[in-house]
Amino acid sequence: MTDAIDLTVMYAVHGALRRELAQLDRVTTAADRDPVRVLATAPGWTLFKQALRAHHAAEDGALWPSLRRNLAGSPKDLALLEVMEAEHAAIAPVIQAIDELLTGPGDDPLRLGQLTDALIRGLAGHLRHEEDTAFPLIRRTLSAEQWAHFSQVHAQYIGEDAPLLMPWLLDGADEPTATKLLAQLPVDAYAACTALWVPAYTALDRWGPGSTV
């Protein structure tokens, strides 16, 4: 295990995704609102997809390939990486199906509930599986240079969405985690985040009336 690998960002992303899965469950099971209409217009759904897409793209493009090179000759560990990628691939079509339903001509809350339930169970299971099995591999085998490369790629995928995704990531984070996340920002981005990005995000009605963190 190397002390150079700090998984704070990974755990923060996972925590934020779990928070949004809980919101998604609340929205799609509320008896007093049309879940199709709510989800079709909810900024929270767009933010969730942006964050998940960036996170998975960075893992697929920079994290798993580095681990695969390091784990050559270890079939069991290589098989685990194949499973991680397969779990990513299984999630994307469910999100696509939800979007197609939201933009389609019909209004099918029952089908939406089935799809969002599949997304919630699938992604929650993947996050847990990744933390239990892939995180130990990252700590044990990834070099500091490889981890820095992944972190850079992850930041690049967030890119111009940072003014929304950084406050999204900070939302509900404990003080030590928030401090570490903010410390990674350049000085100008740190100033913008605290003065502009967080207030704008706080004012955003992400999941409609009655939304809770």
Side-chain angles (χ1 to χ4, degrees):
M1 184 179 296
T2 173
D3 294 333
I5 307 301
D6 182 352
L7 296 177
T8 297
V9 173
M10 296 287 277
Y11 278 112
V13 172
H14 283 201
L17 289 171
R18 288 188 174 103
R19 181 195 67 225
E20 300 304 275
L21 290 179
Q23 290 281 28
L24 185 61
D25 180 63
R26 183 191 61 79
V27 165
T28 54
T29 57
D32 59 340
R33 290 191 290 166
D34 177 1
V36 177
R37 184 181 300 275
V38 172
L39 199 60
T41 58
W45 175 240
T46 301
L47 280 170
F48 168 80
K49 291 186 295 179
Q50 289 173 328
L52 183 63
R53 187 182 303 116
H55 184 59
H56 280 185
E59 288 182 333
D60 290 339
L63 183 58
W64 307 143
S66 292
L67 284 171
R68 188 171 286 109
R69 287 192 295 272
N70 294 356
L71 295 167
S74 178
K76 182 178 179 180
D77 291 332
L78 291 174
L80 171 62
L81 299 183
E82 295 294 334
V83 171
M84 291 293 109
E85 292 179 321
E87 290 176 356
H88 282 190
I91 291 166
V94 182
I95 293 177
Q96 181 179 350
I98 292 172
D99 278 338
E100 289 173 353
L101 187 152
L102 295 176
T103 57
D107 188 345
D108 191 346
L110 177 60
R111 177 58 177 159
L112 178 63
Q114 293 170 337
L115 288 170
T116 54
D117 184 62
L119 174 60
I120 291 166
R121 288 186 288 106
L123 181 54
H126 168 68
L127 297 177
R128 183 173 59 253
H129 190 198
E130 186 172 286
E131 289 167 359
D132 290 345
T133 60
F135 282 15
L137 280 182
I138 292 170
R139 288 192 174 102
R140 189 173 75 243
T141 66
L142 215 63
S143 70
E145 291 76 16
Q146 289 171 323
W147 181 249
H149 173 65
F150 165 69
S151 299
Q152 182 180 30
V153 170
H154 199 283
Q156 288 171 348
Y157 273 110
I158 291 176
E160 62 184 17
D161 294 324
L164 279 173
L165 291 186
M166 180 54 68
W168 179 90
L169 193 58
L170 291 166
D171 188 354
D174 60 34
E175 185 174 349
T177 297
T179 299
K180 283 188 176 182
L181 294 174
L182 288 168
Q184 297 181 22
L185 294 176
V187 174
D188 57 343
Y190 179 92
C193 185
T194 54
L196 301 173
W197 300 353
V198 170
Y201 171 87
T202 302
L204 188 65
D205 188 12
R206 292 185 298 121
W207 294 101
S211 175
T212 58
V213 175

